[in-house]
Amino acid sequence: MTAEREVWREAAGVVIATSAYGVSFGALAVASGLDVWQTCVLSLLMFTGGSQFAFVGVFAAGGAAALPSAIASAALLGVRNVAYGMRMSPLVGTTPARRAAAAHFTIDESTAVAVSQSDPRLRQVGFWVTGIGIFLGWNLTTLVGALVGDVLGDPKTWGLDAAAAAAFLALLWPRLRQRQAIAVGVAAAVVAAALTPALMPGLPVLVAALVAILVGWFNWLGRDDASTVSAPEGLR
């Protein structure tokens, strides 16, 4: 199998897992009070799963009166995509048109698949295949979930809430080969888990990202490994 086909296969696995979770969003969005067309427009224009779930979660709890809070929660979770954009900007192309197009596809999954590659060309393949594939799949399954939400029942009973997390773990696991990478992952996970009950949606992710950058930048546990760089590749 060629390196490019391997990237396509890796991207396809992430696309399938993440797209399946779109059914859950479509069902939950309609259950929270949104119409089918409103649910679909949200996926088309916002297109970032964490922000979308935050929006419908807050909206479901407070209705129209909670709309400002719902928007704020979604925006906080979407801030992480700015960091992804800075990381992806040199990889997606030099023309303004390509960078403008890439902005909509710069999400967790496309960034993760791209930075997991060592060759610049393969990083572009991973980014575009994953980003466009998830965009198409997510919007299709959002429509399906919105239409058959009542028939589907609780999406968690189908395990769809774990699909995206499992895909991320599959991408992360091969990179945990050195103490420094393990330290970054553990520190970010512990901070996010500890702050989730106390802070509004979006903030724990941002704080965890800052902790990951701090631990990765100083490379406290990687100084004795001559084969490593001063910071994890995904943070440079």
Side-chain angles (χ1 to χ4, degrees):
M1 180 177 295
T2 64
E4 185 166 335
R5 288 186 63 185
E6 180 66 25
V7 175
W8 273 81
R9 188 177 72 168
E10 182 177 306
V14 176
V15 168
I16 293 171
T18 306
S19 297
Y21 199 18
V23 176
S24 178
F25 171 74
L28 292 174
V30 171
S32 73
L34 297 179
D35 295 332
V36 172
W37 74 268
Q38 290 173 326
T39 300
C40 292
V41 167
L42 198 61
S43 280
L44 282 169
L45 300 183
M46 186 177 289
F47 185 51
T48 171
S51 295
Q52 291 179 229
F53 277 103
F55 179 89
V56 299
V58 176
F59 182 79
L67 190 59
S69 297
I71 294 174
S73 297
L76 282 172
L77 277 171
V79 168
R80 71 191 189 282
N81 288 353
V82 176
Y84 296 159
M86 292 187 291
R87 180 68 179 93
M88 291 292 98
S89 181
L91 304 179
V92 297
T94 57
T95 65
R98 284 177 66 88
R99 290 185 175 180
H104 200 54
F105 304 124
T106 303
I107 55 176
D108 300 328
E109 294 82 1
S110 61
T111 302
V113 173
V115 300
S116 68
Q117 314 306 319
S118 57
D119 182 83
R121 183 181 64 84
L122 296 180
R123 287 180 174 180
Q124 288 198 19
V125 172
F127 174 84
W128 288 106
V129 172
T130 306
I132 294 175
I134 292 178
F135 179 78
L136 297 175
W138 180 265
N139 281 280
L140 176 62
T141 54
T142 292
L143 175 61
V144 171
L147 292 175
V148 302
D150 293 337
V151 177
L152 180 67
D154 186 359
K156 292 182 179 180
T157 61
W158 298 86
L160 296 179
D161 56 323
F168 265 104
L169 183 60
L171 287 172
L172 176 65
W173 191 258
R175 300 176 67 84
L176 299 180
R177 299 174 180 174
Q178 297 161 349
R179 289 179 298 171
Q180 179 65 16
I182 295 173
V184 171
V186 170
V190 169
V191 170
L195 294 181
T196 295
L199 300 180
M200 66 182 298
L203 286 179
V205 175
L206 297 180
V207 176
L210 293 176
V211 171
I213 292 172
L214 179 65
V215 175
W217 182 266
F218 287 101
N219 197 28
W220 287 313
L221 298 179
R223 299 183 187 278
D224 59 340
D225 193 339
S227 65
T228 60
V229 291
S230 61
E233 185 177 1
L235 296 177
R236 292 204 304 268

